[in-house]
Structures are given as structure tokens and as C-alpha cells.
Amino acid sequence: MSSSFFLPPEILCNILSRLPSKDLITLTAVCKSWFSLITHQSFISTHLNLRKKSDPFLLHYKAGDFRDNFLSVLHSETYAYYSTFPIPFICESNYFKLAASFDGLICLSDSYQYFGRIIYLWNPAIWKLKILRNSCFARKFKDCGTFFALGFGFSRSSNYELKIVRIMYFGDFYMPVYVEKEPPKVEVFSLATNSWRRIGTNAGSYAIQKSSDAYVNEAVHWFASKTRGPSSNIVLSFDFDREKFGEIMVPKIDPDGRNRLRVSADVLRGLLILIVHCVNSIGIVENCCIWVMTDEGVWCG
């Protein structure tokens, strides 16, 4: 029986969009019209926007004992635990790294030298998992001197298609400083086509930050360095709509060059930020500062 006999579609959509994800999955089995409504991209977008406003949460990852990794959800204002759940699958290194999270989807990979080789896309709300093991560049994919940077986001121009960008670097695993032996290779995974495809290179820049949650204006951002010409730091970006790389100049975060820094790109209230940690000789953080890029494209510290 059609739901239109009981409620107008706009009222039904308003009611259903306020329900938790688990309940919506159950309700897709009520009838064909409800399934079409709940699985439509416009409804999904509405549901996500409402949940963001009512449930401001932060995702926290913690590596526990051997094969005991878990994720915790914290309230963004009180930082109190909302829920904690174990990761229900294992990886080759036995330890995961949280590559990114976006609109309820979590992107995980192995830690340490295995990072980026196998990617786990997980939706814990509906308990769905997708494992990505292959690459367009199979010959060098498993070499010990190959390492990766990952980005995760959506393309508005292709109906909010989920994409993952993977940059493949080739260097000396035992060297503390990366030297570009050959141009990096880049590939993009599309969830719509369920496949990887090569798109070119980002030669001349190296993503120091191997994973990033800094998704702003349809682009993911990493703190990076130039590998050609005078040595300098930049913010490397990848636009998921145009599938092109870009560069953003960074402020003078250490004018004297005397401090040991750990820098990462992130997002704060929809704005691109740089989080700068000063660490001592044994790697302990001594202080921290944040630089914010305004809507006018100016860094403010």
C-alpha cells in the first residue's frame, strides 16, 4: 500500500529524516515507495544535515592491545563519551590508522609502513564494510620504498559521488628526508564505479601529512613541502570536482627555524586551519598554536 494514502510525501520525508540511521535501514523494508524515498540522494543529504545540527560529535580513534582497536564518539562541546565500539575486522599490521571520516563514513588503513596499501571504508551506523586492495600501479604497489598519502571526499558535480585520492611516492625507506626519485603517481577511487583510475601526478610536492580530514570547498588539504626549487612548505590541495592539485602558501609558522614542529591541516567551523605543535627533543608537545585561513584567503594566527 502506498504511503501517499496517509501522509503527503514532504511530511513523510520530514518525519523520517529525523530518525536514526539504524531505524531508517529497517524502514526501507516497509514498502517500495519508502525504500525509494530513504535511499534517494536528496533524502540522504537532508538526513545528514539534520544529524549534524542535532548531534555534534567528534570521532576519536584509539589503538588498544593486540588486535583490540576501537573508535569512540565524543560530544563536541563536553567531550563526554557518547558511544564506543570495537573495529570488527583486522588488518595486516594489527593496528589501524584513521585516514579520514566524512558524513558517517570512516576511512581506515593499516598503520606504519603498510599505510595506504589496503583501505577499509566502513559505515558503523549500518555495519557495512568495503575493502579496497588493488591499484592501477600494481608493479610498484608493494615495494618497500613505496609509500602513500590519502584523501577522502565527495564531488558535487557528480551527484555527491564519494571519491578517494591516493598519492604514491617512491623514495628510500631508510632515509629521514624524502627525495623525489621519480614523479609520484596518483589514482582516484570512485564508489559509483567501484574502481580505481589513474589521473596523473603531483610532481614537485610531497605530502608530509599522510592523511587528512581537512575537506573544504570540495577539496582535501595536506600540509606538504616543495621538492623542486627552494625548499618551502605549502598546503597541497586536491579538488574532487576537477580532479586537480593546487597549492596554498603557508604563513611563517617558524620565522627563526629553531623549533621542531609538527604541522597538520584541518577544518574549524568550515574554515581551513593549520595546527602547529612545538615538540622537544624527545617528541613531547610543549605548546600549540592554530592558524586560520579566512574567507578572504588570509592566514590569521
Side-chain angles (χ1 to χ4, degrees):
M1 182 179 295
S2 174
S3 60
S4 60
F5 290 122
F6 302 98
L7 291 173
E10 60 273 14
I11 296 179
L12 180 64
C13 180
N14 197 343
I15 294 173
L16 293 181
S17 62
R18 300 174 189 278
L19 296 177
S21 300
K22 290 181 179 180
D23 293 339
L24 289 175
I25 296 300
T26 303
L27 292 175
T28 57
V30 171
C31 60
K32 290 183 178 180
S33 62
W34 282 33
F35 177 86
S36 298
L37 171 66
I38 294 171
T39 57
H40 195 276
Q41 186 61 51
S42 62
F43 177 87
I44 295 172
S45 299
T46 301
H47 181 259
L48 286 171
N49 290 332
L50 286 173
R51 299 300 289 182
K52 285 178 182 178
K53 293 178 182 178
S54 61
D55 300 323
F57 295 128
L58 298 172
L59 183 66
H60 172 68
Y61 165 74
K62 184 175 181 181
D65 298 328
F66 183 73
R67 295 188 179 182
D68 185 21
N69 301 276
F70 58 91
L71 294 165
S72 298
V73 179
L74 311 177
H75 195 278
S76 63
E77 294 181 358
T78 64
Y79 298 101
Y81 279 93
Y82 177 79
S83 64
T84 299
F85 44 92
I87 299 174
F89 45 91
I90 61 174
C91 59
E92 292 186 7
S93 65
N94 298 318
Y95 291 99
F96 285 102
K97 181 177 176 63
L98 179 62
S101 62
F102 196 90
D103 283 351
L105 290 175
I106 299 170
C107 184
L108 299 161
S109 186
D110 295 67
S111 293
Y112 309 114
Q113 69 267 30
Y114 296 103
F115 176 74
R117 298 183 191 277
I118 301 177
I119 299 171
Y120 306 84
L121 276 179
W122 184 34
N123 188 334
I126 58 177
W127 222 248
K128 282 192 175 183
L129 171 69
K130 188 174 191 62
I131 303 177
L132 311 179
R133 299 181 182 273
N134 59 340
S135 168
C136 296
F137 310 103
R139 289 187 178 182
K140 294 193 174 184
F141 188 61
K142 295 184 178 181
D143 291 352
C144 63
T146 301
F147 42 101
F148 308 88
L150 295 178
F152 182 45
F154 285 79
S155 171
R156 289 183 185 272
S157 62
S158 53
N159 198 25
Y160 289 89
E161 176 187 357
L162 182 145
K163 294 180 180 180
I164 298 172
V165 58
R166 178 163 55 190
I167 310 170
M168 184 180 295
Y169 294 103
F170 312 103
D172 191 332
F173 182 76
Y174 300 99
M175 288 290 289
V177 178
Y178 170 75
V179 177
E180 189 173 289
K181 293 183 175 180
E182 60 179 286
K185 298 183 183 298
V186 183
E187 55 187 345
V188 170
F189 176 83
S190 166
L191 190 63
T193 62
N194 193 34
S195 63
W196 291 96
R197 53 188 171 79
R198 61 188 72 192
I199 65 167
T201 182
N202 69 321
S205 57
Y206 170 67
I208 302 171
Q209 181 184 0
K210 294 300 181 291
S211 60
S212 175
D213 264 330
Y215 179 78
V216 183
N217 298 326
E218 288 74 59
V220 65
H221 302 75
W222 305 264
F223 183 69
S225 65
K226 298 289 289 182
T227 56
R228 296 180 181 177
S231 177
S232 62
N233 290 324
I234 57 170
V235 172
L236 177 68
S237 67
F238 180 79
D239 187 305
F240 283 99
D241 276 344
R242 300 184 298 116
E243 296 191 349
K244 299 289 185 181
F245 285 98
E247 296 179 0
I248 302 173
M249 299 301 295
V250 300
K252 295 182 178 179
I253 54 181
D254 186 25
D256 300 328
R258 298 177 180 177
N259 299 308
R260 297 182 62 185
L261 304 177
R262 291 177 184 168
V263 186
S264 60
D266 214 313
V267 178
L268 177 64
R269 297 175 182 173
L271 297 174
L272 178 66
I273 66 172
L274 287 178
I275 304 176
V276 183
H277 294 100
C278 290
V279 300
N280 59 23
S281 58
I282 58 175
I284 297 177
V285 176
E286 295 185 331
N287 58 70
C288 171
C289 68
I290 295 177
W291 289 81
V292 181
M293 175 169 277
T294 65
D295 291 330
E296 293 74 27
V298 178
W299 289 105
C300 294

